[in-house]
Every structure is written in structure tokens, then in C-alpha cells.
Amino acid sequence: MAPPQTGDDGREPQGTRLEDAIDRRLRGIDSDRYRENTATVLRELAAWLRTHRDVETVEAVDDDDCRRWVQAYLRDRVADEAHPLTFDTDRDFSAASAHTYYNIARAFFSWCVDGEQLLATNPMQPDRVKDELPEDTEEVEQGQQFWSADARTALLRYVDTEAHDALDDTRDHERAFRDRAIAYLLADTGARGAELFAVSGDSDRNGIQWRDLGDGAIRVLGKSRDRETVQFPPTTRKKVERYRRVLEPASEDWPVIPTADATSKYRAVRQTLANREFDDEEIETILDDAEDIDAVLREYDVAPPALTTEGARRVMRQLCEDAGLAVDGEYLKPHGGRRGLGHRAYTELSAEDAQNILRHRSIETTHESYTEANTSDLSEDVDDLLYGDDSA
């Protein structure tokens, strides 16, 4: 272990050294990829604070230190193409990467507040810090697919019919109700796929659970890795609750959309029971004697893994193939539901409503996302206004 650092006067700094807190934080992260990215950001942050602000401990960091870091290390270097600071060293440091760095740093200080109780407040959180970030236009998705109103209606009509018919025959009615819940969640909530489903390699993104569902909102892990809420319309809620009655989850900790992959379920049972100090022979006996793996999940209250984003795409691809649905020759992609909802809100309600529904940080991002589509709609209206029936 390296000897403790000392200040300019030869004395050790009072409080928890940033490097020590960072090491503890990294040990608590399961995802290799997220741990590596977090290590990069936090160690660069600690080095900058020590060099430019003479700060060596967590307790000494204040919002002015964070504001200066955002200004000098993030914002000002975005425009400086000589400093490739992204995780992908083949690219310049973009505005989106600056937001990623900031979000990781903010999550670290949140951990210092809530987990370690080293700080009373998060110094990275105040608006005066966040306002120094460059504009992030990553969510400006012009040209990307969005579900049209007709495509959305056709999809929901199809999954409704499938769920209804599944009650009257021997087909897998649990799958039919699950697929309907997936379609409605994607179509009506404005949530991203990575907020609803598990993300491979990211242990923090393990899908929404039943305890995350409220009367009018769903709690998700947002893009910034903060907990956020998305709207949960009454009709959508009824569809999801109907699926819950079919699924009969053993606890509130079960994912709303569990995987159907048996291998993943067996792995979850073995890992969970091993953590509960069952030995290997006991576990294998339980599995051998069980009617099926789902019975073991319920009997021993083991939450199955959630469906992944890749799995959700496969579900949507199959649904569209079965229903004969496509947008510009492609299946209805999960993110297209979010964009379709945003487009309808933008054109039929207001830009502000679309911003709130999609949780865009700025109204400018919302405008840039949907102005092109809105202008195309206006072109048709202007043609009708100027030419009317003569336009043919």
C-alpha cells in the first residue's frame, strides 16, 4: 500500500482521501464495463482536483470545485479537438461524452452522500454546476424510426387480439399477455428500452420490477443513472396488471418482464441458493425433483432475470413478422415507440408536453428532434391551404 499523501505543510489531509473512496466505490460495482468507465472518470477527476484545486479528500470537495471541473475539464475541452478524452480514444471528446463523465461523477458523490454518509449534499448536483455542461444533442434523432399512429394502432390491436384468443385455446397465454405488456409499455410510456429491460453487462440496469409500478408512474433508472419517473397511463396500467394476474409473480422484486430463457433461470436459482448457503448437492436435488424451473423460482422466492434489450428486440421483430407490420420496411423497433409518442405529443399537444414526456433536459433538444417531422406535416397543410382540391 502506498504511503498516505501529505499536504504542503507535511500533514496528512483531514477526511477520506478521494482515492480511497474511489477504490471502495469501484469494489461495489459488478459490471466490468461500468466499473472500468467509472474508474477512468473518477481517477481523472481526483487528479484534476488535487492539481488544480488543491483538494485531496471527499469532504473538502464543494460545488465550486465541481463547477470549475465541469467548465475546464469537460465544457472547454469539447471544442478542443487536440484532447481525445472519451473512453473510445478514436473519437474526439464530444458533448455526449462530457455528459457521461458528469453523470458518473455525480453518481459517485451521490454514493458518498447516501451510501457512505461522507457528505451532507452532492456537490455535483446544483444547477450552477450542471448549467456549465455543453449542450448534449445526442437525443436529437432525426431520421430515426418512429412508430406512426397507424402502425401503433395496428400493433396494439394485434396484441390485444392475441391475448384474448390465447384464453380460449391451448397456446401459451402467459407469453401472449407478456408480449401485449411489452408492446403497451413501449408505445405509451416514453421509456427507453434500457430503462424497461435488462442491459447485458450492466448490473445496475436489470429491468423494472413490480415494486417500481405506481398508480400513474413507473420508476426507472434514467439515462443519467438517476431514478426518474415515466408516465403510466390508466389503459396501459390495466393491460400490465392483467398480465400480472397471469404471471403471478412471487414477490414485488420480480421483474415485470422476466426472461423466458430456461438457462438463465437455472443460473439464477443456482446462484441465489448458493448465496443462501445451500450446498451444490442440495441445489441439484431441488432442481431434479421440481416439476419445472418456474416452480422452483416461486417456491424459493428466486426472482428470475429480466428480459434483456436484445430479447425485447427479438420479441418486437417476431410480433411484427406475425402481424405483417413494418415502418419503412423494418419491424417496429423498441425506441420507435418512444419517438412516436414524442412526435404525437409535439404535434398534437405542445413542445413542452413532449419535453416532459420524453424527459429531455432542454426544450431545444425536443425541438431539434421533431421540427423536421412537424415541418413535413405543415407542408401538407400548406398545400391544402393554397391549392385545395386543385392540388391533384
Side-chain angles (χ1 to χ4, degrees), residues 383-392:
D383 193 79
D384 289 340
L385 174 67
L386 297 178
Y387 299 102
D389 296 336
D390 296 334
S391 60

Side-chain angles (χ1 to χ4, degrees), residues 144-193:
Q144 293 189 20
Q145 184 197 88
F146 66 84
W147 299 0
S148 68
D150 288 344
R152 173 190 175 277
T153 299
L155 173 67
L156 298 185
R157 183 180 296 123
Y158 175 78
V159 294
D160 278 336
T161 300
E162 288 294 294
H164 179 270
D165 291 347
L167 293 175
D168 299 326
D169 59 31
T170 59
R171 287 182 298 172
D172 183 355
H173 65 282
E174 182 177 314
R175 181 181 292 273
F177 278 85
R178 184 203 67 170
D179 291 351
R180 183 171 73 168
I182 290 172
Y184 271 88
L185 286 168
L186 291 172
D188 296 354
T189 66
R192 301 173 179 88

Side-chain angles (χ1 to χ4, degrees), residues 251-270:
S251 75
E252 292 292 297
D253 293 332
W254 275 40
V256 175
I257 308 294
T259 182
D261 179 60
T263 300
S264 299
K265 294 178 182 179
Y266 274 98
R267 186 184 304 117
V269 167
R270 289 188 172 100

Side-chain angles (χ1 to χ4, degrees), residues 19 42 111 116 152 161 190 233 247 280-281 340 392:
E19 287 80 1
L42 297 185
W111 173 83
E116 298 293 289
R152 173 190 175 277
T161 300
L247 179 64
D280 291 345
E281 184 177 349

Side-chain angles (χ1 to χ4, degrees), residues 18 36-37 45 48 54 65 175 187 190 254 266 277 332:
L18 279 163
E36 180 181 346
N37 290 347
L45 169 61
W48 188 92
D54 195 26
D65 297 321
R175 181 181 292 273
W254 275 40
Y266 274 98
E277 300 185 351
L332 275 64

Side-chain angles (χ1 to χ4, degrees), residues 157-289:
R157 183 180 296 123
Y158 175 78
V159 294
D160 278 336
T161 300
E162 288 294 294
H164 179 270
D165 291 347
L167 293 175
D168 299 326
D169 59 31
T170 59
R171 287 182 298 172
D172 183 355
H173 65 282
E174 182 177 314
R175 181 181 292 273
F177 278 85
R178 184 203 67 170
D179 291 351
R180 183 171 73 168
I182 290 172
Y184 271 88
L185 286 168
L186 291 172
D188 296 354
T189 66
R192 301 173 179 88
E195 296 169 337
L196 296 172
F197 311 109
V199 177
S200 300
D202 189 336
S203 60
D204 291 329
R205 295 197 178 277
N206 49 17
I208 55 172
Q209 299 171 336
W210 289 104
R211 59 184 170 83
D212 295 321
L213 273 55
D215 288 341
I218 303 173
R219 294 180 71 250
V220 300
L221 184 65
K223 180 182 175 183
S224 66
R225 306 189 82 86
D226 287 334
R227 284 291 170 181
E228 301 174 3
T229 56
V230 298
Q231 62 280 340
F232 195 23
T235 298
T236 312
R237 188 167 67 249
K238 290 177 183 177
K239 305 292 183 178
V240 175
E241 284 298 323
R242 183 66 183 88
Y243 168 55
R244 181 174 188 163
R245 294 198 295 273
V246 172
L247 179 64
E248 295 183 336
S251 75
E252 292 292 297
D253 293 332
W254 275 40
V256 175
I257 308 294
T259 182
D261 179 60
T263 300
S264 299
K265 294 178 182 179
Y266 274 98
R267 186 184 304 117
V269 167
R270 289 188 172 100
Q271 290 177 346
T272 302
L273 294 186
N275 291 339
R276 296 177 186 171
E277 300 185 351
F278 285 72
D279 62 38
D280 291 345
E281 184 177 349
E282 288 178 307
I283 294 172
E284 295 310 314
T285 299
I286 289 170
L287 292 173
D288 290 341
D289 292 345

Side-chain angles (χ1 to χ4, degrees), residues 18 45 48-50 52-73 109 123-124 128-129:
L18 279 163
L45 169 61
W48 188 92
L49 289 171
R50 184 172 57 251
H52 297 277
R53 303 292 291 176
D54 195 26
V55 170
E56 298 187 22
T57 66
V58 173
E59 293 84 352
V61 180
D62 60 26
D63 59 354
D64 193 53
D65 297 321
C66 293
R67 184 169 181 266
R68 296 302 181 192
W69 177 70
V70 170
Q71 287 176 329
Y73 199 75
F109 285 112
M124 199 66 73
R128 68 187 296 266
V129 178

